[in-house]
Amino acid sequence: MSPVSPAPTPAPAPTPPPAARVSVDTDVCIGAGQCALTAPGVFTQDEDGFGAVLPGFEDGGGSPLLREAARACPVSAVTVDEG
């Protein structure tokens, strides 16, 4: 009887992409709300109606809508830096 070969070692999991850094420039924001409408899981509007990143989602929370939210802002107040 021939010896049993050990099971192959699984390939390591792919390295996840670096987390994004998301911000709203409050000096530029006009409160159009497009960021919050496009990616409501990441953005909200503050008590004055200006765009804001939800607490804990400064890294974008893995939302596939981050870039679209940045493009939707009429004054380019939303920045997505993918590190």
Side-chain angles (χ1 to χ4, degrees):
M1 197 168 200
S2 60
V4 176
S5 300
T9 304
T15 304
R21 288 186 307 159
V22 183
S23 62
V24 176
D25 186 336
T26 55
D27 291 331
V28 176
C29 181
I30 60 171
Q34 294 303 304
C35 58
L37 289 171
T38 304
V42 177
F43 299 96
T44 188
Q45 287 182 282
D46 66 15
E47 60 277 354
D48 296 319
F50 295 106
V53 179
L54 288 167
F57 288 90
E58 294 82 2
D59 65 354
S63 174
L65 300 172
L66 290 178
R67 290 226 174 268
E68 187 59 34
R71 281 191 290 269
C73 180
V75 294
S76 300
V78 176
T79 301
V80 178
D81 180 14
E82 303 224 20

